[in-house]
Amino acid sequence: MLRTQRIAVGATAGAFALALAVSGCGSGSSNSGSGGSTSASSPSTSSSSGSSAARPATDTLSTAKVDKVGTVVVDGKGFVLYRFDKDTAKPTPKSNCYGTCAAQWPPAPATGNVTVKGIDKSLVGTVTRNDGTKQLTLAGRPLYRYAKDDQPHEAYGQGVGGIWFAATPTGAKAMTSDTGSSSGGGSGY
């Protein structure tokens, strides 16, 4: 039963990722500027509390001990966050994961105030993506989720392609004995 549910969730997530990839194609090539177009995928704010004043969204970063990976950074829902070796941290943070890469490795959105637990807040920042949305960074490195992590504290993205690694609380790569293997399958882009 659980396996059937996981397959159904995986199929749904795959269809969603494909829809994202197709909708992100647009016309022309992707460049570092916003190109004057507005993105339909901009973060939206909604309030279900019934309050007339909208409250700012809060992003939460905390730490969790994950089997075979160690202590890593997770988002507010407990999903492991990753860093990409092809991104740059200095002199200015820059994401290099777009299109099909971003469908497989969704950027960790920066939607409001950031709260941290077990992480030095001075290491947390944001980077503006090509579409104008904000992405969380840690020690200058953009953060991502992995589409195949369908449960909190899973780290199937650890070591994928030898370029994707769970982020430690200092922003470093989580290193394990099987680093460099593609334990969760998929592409490292």
Side-chain angles (χ1 to χ4, degrees), residues 85-136:
D85 281 353
K86 292 185 178 182
D87 286 345
T88 57
K90 295 180 181 177
T92 306
K94 182 176 185 322
S95 172
N96 288 304
C97 181
Y98 291 93
T100 56
C101 175
Q104 189 76 13
W105 299 91
T111 57
N113 298 324
V114 178
T115 59
V116 296
K117 183 176 179 185
I119 300 164
D120 181 351
K121 189 164 183 164
S122 70
L123 295 176
V124 178
T126 64
V127 64
T128 302
R129 297 180 56 77
N130 290 350
D131 65 0
T133 60
K134 299 281 187 183
Q135 180 176 1
L136 288 172

Side-chain angles (χ1 to χ4, degrees), residues 37-65:
S37 66
T38 56
S39 171
S41 63
S42 295
S44 64
T45 30
S46 63
S47 176
S48 59
S49 67
S51 167
S52 61
R55 295 182 206 165
T58 301
D59 302 309
T60 302
L61 297 179
S62 59
T63 60
K65 185 152 176 64

Side-chain angles (χ1 to χ4, degrees), residues 15-38:
F16 178 72
L18 180 59
L20 279 176
V22 170
S23 69
C25 291
S27 62
S29 64
S30 173
N31 58 27
S32 61
S34 65
S37 66
T38 56

